[in-house]
Amino acid sequence: MKVVEMEKPVCNLGEVMLQLKYVGFCGSDLNTYRGRNGLAKMPVIPGHEIGAVIVEKGSDVPEQLHIGETVTVNPYTNCGQCPACRRRRYNACEHNETLGVQRDGAMREYITLPWEKVIPVGDITAEHSALIEPMSVGFHAVNRAQVVDTDVVLVIGCGMVGVGAAARCLVRGATVIACDLDDDKLNVVKRIGVQYVVNTAREDLHKRLMEITDGQMPDVIIEAVGSPVTQEEAVNEVSFTGRVVCIGYAKQDTPFTTSLFVKKELDIRGSRNALPEDFKGVIKYLERDTCPYQDLISSVVSPEDAPEAMANWHNHPQKVFRILVKF
């Protein structure tokens, strides 16, 4: 990773120019840095978690977008023609290209984008706006799980995406259990209102779930790690006729006990990216001003210090929640 000089982009028809204020590094950026992100087209400028200000507009950009307005960005493309797009599930477009993964991202001072991808955030600060996209991925998983107020939900993995999933489950009135290997992350989800936490490094998850649910087991399990171990665990621990939603990408295939699919009559679903309504849901949640931002942002660094920050994250992955780069 290195810092380079680039030409300032030109704002074309149908585009807005954003001045980046804060851009977050996420787990996929870390995997790209490690050379383990099979989706990344290298070399690539990272960054798709954005807090920015509109500084220029093309002539045909709608009036509701204002110069000087704080915004975030929907960083996914959609072709409009594939089966997913025809079903209006643009987040899962067959030909999606995410900023910072399949195309150059936002880790730079200025970027131009189609105006349709720009999302005003109201009074939320640019710094906090950089948390909206990763939380929206968790919000979308809750939609995929069709969580309602009578559900007991287990969230496996309490990174930023898991926090988003837990937050939306709580908004919907569900009972939430969260598990992770790290006490600091479990303390974060407790601060947003999660009722039960389990540290699986020292507690037996199955035993604790039996105790918490009186043997009924969770109605929904949201897997936000991307590990064969936790994906298999989700299938094993969910209730009969339960729903399992997997967000994380496993680096290798996961062996399931396939008889459980039939015996339990499970719904096992993938969840990819997020839809515009998920972004709106996160913005509405953050407007409550109850989010523990100080716990979610591990550090704020300059672009020049970003390579060192990423190297530290690589060496101490459990000690970093979210790194923001301030431009």
Side-chain angles (χ1 to χ4, degrees), residues 89-208:
R89 290 168 64 175
Y90 306 114
N91 59 296
C93 173
E94 183 177 353
H95 307 290
N96 167 70
E97 294 184 346
T98 299
L99 285 173
V101 185
Q102 294 94 344
R103 58 190 173 123
D104 282 339
M107 201 66 74
R108 41 184 155 165
E109 291 181 290
Y110 295 93
I111 191 171
T112 54
L113 294 165
W115 69 264
E116 296 93 340
K117 297 298 182 181
V118 175
I119 303 171
V121 299
D123 293 331
I124 300 171
T125 67
E127 181 180 8
H128 297 161
S129 297
L131 305 179
I132 292 173
E133 189 277 340
M135 292 187 74
S136 74
V137 176
F139 269 50
H140 183 69
V142 176
N143 273 347
R144 291 284 292 143
Q146 298 176 304
V147 171
V148 296
D149 57 355
T150 55
D151 283 328
V152 175
V153 182
L154 170 65
V155 178
I156 302 178
C158 297
M160 187 68 75
V161 171
V163 168
R168 181 155 237 188
C169 288
L170 292 168
V171 168
R172 293 190 174 189
T175 299
V176 182
I177 310 163
C179 70
D180 200 281
L181 299 168
D182 186 84
D183 281 332
D184 290 338
K185 291 180 179 179
L186 293 173
N187 286 333
V188 171
V189 293
K190 282 199 288 188
R191 280 191 277 276
I192 69 170
V194 168
Q195 296 97 327
Y196 303 96
V197 298
V198 182
N199 187 317
T200 49
R202 59 174 182 267
E203 298 179 84
D204 186 302
L205 180 62
H206 178 76
K207 181 179 178 181
R208 289 288 288 124

Side-chain angles (χ1 to χ4, degrees), residues 238-255:
V238 75
S239 68
F240 274 64
T241 69
R243 286 103 69 200
V244 172
V245 174
C246 295
I247 311 174
Y249 284 91
K251 303 303 182 293
Q252 61 264 20
D253 291 341
T254 299

Side-chain angles (χ1 to χ4, degrees), residues 53-109:
V53 172
I54 298 175
V55 293
E56 191 176 333
K57 296 167 49 176
S59 59
D60 60 340
V61 173
E63 292 182 0
Q64 63 260 32
L65 292 176
H66 306 289
I67 290 177
E69 187 172 27
T70 302
V71 298
T72 191
V73 169
N74 181 334
Y76 324 117
T77 64
N78 55 281
C79 70
Q81 304 298 322
C82 72
C85 287
R86 291 202 302 270
R87 297 184 182 108
R88 303 181 67 82
R89 290 168 64 175
Y90 306 114
N91 59 296
C93 173
E94 183 177 353
H95 307 290
N96 167 70
E97 294 184 346
T98 299
L99 285 173
V101 185
Q102 294 94 344
R103 58 190 173 123
D104 282 339
M107 201 66 74
R108 41 184 155 165
E109 291 181 290

